[in-house]
Amino acid sequence: KNALEYAVSEGFLEKVDRNYQFSHDRVQEAAYNMLGFEHRAEMHLEYGIALCLRTAKNDNDDSLLFTAVNQINRGNLSEISDSNHRSMIASLNLQAGKKAMSMSDFGLALSFFEYGSSFL
């Protein structure tokens, strides 16, 4: 048995079609808390970037953009020294901030603008 099949047989995960999901929020929370801070930050950054790639294909999905940029912002951004990456993150935050403003969510917009400006 592989690890995923074992987790399903023990009731930690459920298989839905070709995907897996946690069987309960508490199981997901426990698994998340077992990860170290650095690993969690890496995962947030990677997940956010993957979502941004998906967002690029679907411009009309504001919630996906917000989720992607939030995930990136939860990453360990202090380790990003490449100026192109920093500029990309600033640009994504600007885009998300503008969309939030157009929806009259000024608090969320401010948050995106602050994160974005910290990369300039």
Side-chain angles (χ1 to χ4, degrees), residues 45-46 48-53 56 65 68-69 72-73 77 80 82-96 112 115-117 119-120:
L45 186 59
E46 289 175 17
I49 290 170
L51 285 174
C52 279
L53 295 174
L65 173 66
V69 176
I72 288 172
N73 291 345
L77 302 176
I80 298 175
D82 180 271
S83 62
N84 289 331
H85 290 139
R86 294 180 69 80
S87 178
M88 177 195 70
I89 292 170
S91 177
L92 288 167
N93 274 282
L94 176 62
Q95 183 182 354
F112 287 130
Y115 268 104
S117 65
F119 283 89
L120 300 175

Side-chain angles (χ1 to χ4, degrees), residues 55-110:
T55 301
K57 296 176 184 173
N58 188 2
D59 272 345
N60 298 328
D61 194 345
D62 295 341
S63 65
L64 189 58
L65 173 66
F66 293 157
T67 301
V69 176
N70 275 321
Q71 287 297 311
I72 288 172
N73 291 345
R74 291 182 71 183
N76 190 1
L77 302 176
S78 64
E79 302 214 357
I80 298 175
S81 58
D82 180 271
S83 62
N84 289 331
H85 290 139
R86 294 180 69 80
S87 178
M88 177 195 70
I89 292 170
S91 177
L92 288 167
N93 274 282
L94 176 62
Q95 183 182 354
K98 285 180 176 179
K99 286 204 181 213
M101 280 190 63
S102 74
M103 298 167 58
S104 298
D105 192 338
F106 302 113
L108 183 61
L110 177 62

Side-chain angles (χ1 to χ4, degrees), residues 15-56:
K15 187 169 183 179
V16 179
D17 299 322
R18 296 178 49 197
N19 300 311
Y20 293 88
Q21 66 186 27
F22 287 99
S23 58
H24 193 277
D25 290 346
R26 294 288 186 171
V27 175
Q28 180 179 359
E29 184 179 325
Y32 180 81
N33 288 330
M34 289 175 64
L35 300 172
F37 174 78
E38 293 293 322
H39 192 203
R40 278 186 282 191
E42 270 179 39
M43 290 180 67
H44 284 295
L45 186 59
E46 289 175 17
Y47 182 56
I49 290 170
L51 285 174
C52 279
L53 295 174
R54 181 175 261 185
T55 301

